Amino acid sequence: MYQIDITERIFHFKQPAGTSRGVYTERRSWLVEITDGQRHGVGECAPLPDLSCDALQPSVYYQVLRGFCNEVEQTGQIPYEALRDYPSMLFGLETALLSLRGPRLFNTPFSRGEQGIPINGLVWMGNYEEMLQRMEQKLRQGFRCVKLKVGAIDFDQELDLVKRIRDRFSFHEVELRLDANGGFRPDEALYRLELLSQYAIHSIEQPIRQKQWALMAELCRDAPLPIALDEELIGVNDPETKRQMLRIIKPAYIVLKPSLHGGIMGCREWISIAREEGIGSWITSALESNIGLNAIAQFCSDVYGDHITIPQGLGTGQLFTDNIPMSLEIRGDQLWVSRNS
């Protein structure tokens, strides 16, 4: 049988990470360390405050997680159905059990260090000059797909930033994605999307706040650029409700974060249902440490196969001053596992 220990960790951002919901300066995670007496594994449980459906008070979160760990210790099995509403806990436990196998959670070319995964460069929110500088840095680093956080500063400035990017780089040279994190009001969203569509935008994530299915469905129908759902998926954990929501809203894409959207099990469900409905998808991290990032990247390589063409959102491994060292590295615009790992 298993023995599971839980360790709380606080990670500190190198620079504040701004979204339309506020600014993160630190990140709280719980590391789940599991052993069967011979082998050891570790997973990361990392809910996002005010966003995750299982973002409980830290003391309460620990007690709930401890209860699920006790059940795994007693039964040797993850209680998947009971954990549907606790996606960050489910993901941590799934990862911990998988890592008992060793560093290769899945046997894929990426996990073996033979292939990289294409990723986008992420430009955090800031003032205009900060965002322009960050954008230019990502382009210098060799990223051909850049994701820009919008919806926090003056929209005219954001629009000007997008225009300046397109003046310098055509859509053949740089794929541009936007993420509004629900930052647009419903009455202004369509007009803003029409203005943005002049600049060959690949897609925009979550233009309005979640749980407005009818309004989001109208936007997906009428907007002149593709819309991707992100926060909209949080808390939608039942398979039939997932299908119902996608059929009503009909987005072009869904963006999946295992810590938010049902762990590995839940994300496999989302991807399967989306494929049936003709909806594309990609996977991103959710500000986890390298423990979570490594697991997400390996899962990504497993669920999408050997040849991933859509850039994934896995470039967050250099965010923290005190991250956990792992054999992950960014080469150009790809994430790689070192061959000796």
Side-chain angles (χ1 to χ4, degrees):
M1 281 300 166
Y2 302 122
Q3 177 183 329
I4 302 176
D5 294 320
I6 303 170
T7 304
E8 185 178 340
R9 284 285 298 268
I10 304 291
F11 299 98
H12 300 87
F13 285 90
K14 292 178 181 177
Q15 60 185 30
T19 76
S20 60
R21 282 188 165 76
V23 177
Y24 293 109
T25 58
E26 62 182 32
R27 184 76 165 92
R28 187 189 306 269
S29 292
W30 285 262
L31 300 183
V32 175
E33 299 176 75
I34 186 168
T35 180
D36 61 6
Q38 294 181 319
R39 303 173 299 168
H40 293 79
V42 61
E44 180 177 9
C45 304
L48 279 168
D50 302 319
L51 190 59
S52 298
C53 63
D54 56 354
L56 310 171
Q57 289 295 321
S59 60
V60 177
Y61 187 93
Y62 174 85
Q63 291 300 326
V64 175
L65 177 58
R66 183 68 260 176
F68 285 124
C69 289
N70 291 346
E71 188 169 347
V72 174
E73 287 178 336
Q74 292 162 11
T75 66
Q77 303 291 326
I78 293 176
Y80 284 101
E81 291 304 314
L83 277 161
R84 277 192 180 274
D85 292 332
Y86 302 90
S88 65
M89 299 184 196
L90 174 56
F91 179 59
L93 285 167
E94 287 175 313
T95 302
L97 282 176
L98 284 170
S99 65
L100 286 173
R101 305 173 181 176
R104 292 180 191 166
L105 310 188
F106 301 94
N107 188 22
T108 68
F110 169 77
S111 301
R112 295 192 298 269
E114 298 167 2
Q115 285 184 6
I117 295 175
I119 61 175
N120 61 249
L122 177 60
V123 176
W124 289 102
M125 288 179 174
N127 63 42
Y128 178 83
E129 291 301 326
E130 288 172 337
M131 293 181 73
L132 182 61
Q133 183 179 11
R134 292 168 189 167
M135 184 77 199
E136 291 175 338
Q137 180 184 27
K138 293 300 178 186
L139 297 174
R140 285 195 303 270
Q141 290 171 347
F143 285 97
R144 294 188 294 271
C145 175
V146 179
K147 176 176 166 179
L148 194 66
K149 294 275 189 178
V150 297
I153 65 174
D154 178 75
F155 179 72
D156 289 336
Q157 286 190 312
E158 291 175 338
L159 192 65
D160 184 57
L161 180 61
V162 172
K163 180 180 183 300
R164 287 180 67 169
I165 295 165
R166 272 292 170 250
D167 286 344
R168 287 179 53 192
F169 300 95
S170 74
F171 69 93
H172 294 293
E173 296 171 291
V174 175
E175 180 179 282
L176 196 55
R177 297 176 180 173
L178 304 179
D179 184 1
N181 288 123
F184 297 164
R185 297 198 316 267
D187 62 343
E188 68 190 7
L190 184 59
Y191 177 63
R192 290 188 171 188
L193 296 184
E194 287 171 347
L195 293 176
L196 290 166
S197 69
Q198 305 171 73
Y199 303 110
I201 305 299
H202 172 271
S203 58
I204 183 167
E205 294 177 36
Q206 204 68 42
I208 62 174
R209 286 193 175 272
Q210 66 266 42
K211 298 183 180 179
Q212 303 180 84
W213 288 14
L215 292 172
M216 187 67 86
E218 287 181 19
L219 271 184
C220 289
R221 184 192 66 208
D222 298 337
L225 57 84
I227 290 175
L229 302 186
D230 180 355
E231 288 91 342
E232 198 74 64
L233 313 179
I234 296 171
V236 182
N237 301 318
D238 172 71
E240 284 310 307
T241 309
K242 293 177 182 181
R243 189 181 307 277
Q244 180 187 27
M245 188 188 75
L246 293 184
R247 285 181 174 174
I248 289 171
I249 297 179
K250 296 183 174 65
Y253 302 99
I254 57 174
V255 183
L256 295 164
K257 300 178 174 69
S259 292
L260 295 177
H261 301 138
I264 291 172
M265 176 195 73
C267 285
R268 287 194 192 276
E269 285 180 353
W270 277 116
I271 291 167
S272 176
I273 293 168
R275 282 173 175 164
E276 292 172 10
E277 300 297 324
I279 295 167
S281 65
W282 64 85
I283 289 174
T284 81
S285 53
L287 307 182
E288 295 89 355
S289 77
N290 278 337
I291 297 289
L293 176 61
N294 173 63
I296 294 167
Q298 292 201 46
F299 164 58
C300 177
S301 72
D302 182 67
V303 75
Y304 290 135
D306 293 353
H307 301 287
I308 299 173
T309 56
I310 296 179
Q312 310 292 305
L314 304 174
T316 56
Q318 299 169 320
L319 289 178
F320 303 114
T321 60
D322 45 6
N323 209 338
I324 296 170
M326 293 204 74
S327 298
L328 294 172
E329 58 182 330
I330 296 175
R331 304 178 199 165
D333 65 347
Q334 294 192 337
L335 183 69
W336 286 78
V337 172
S338 297
R339 290 294 292 269
N340 59 3
S341 63

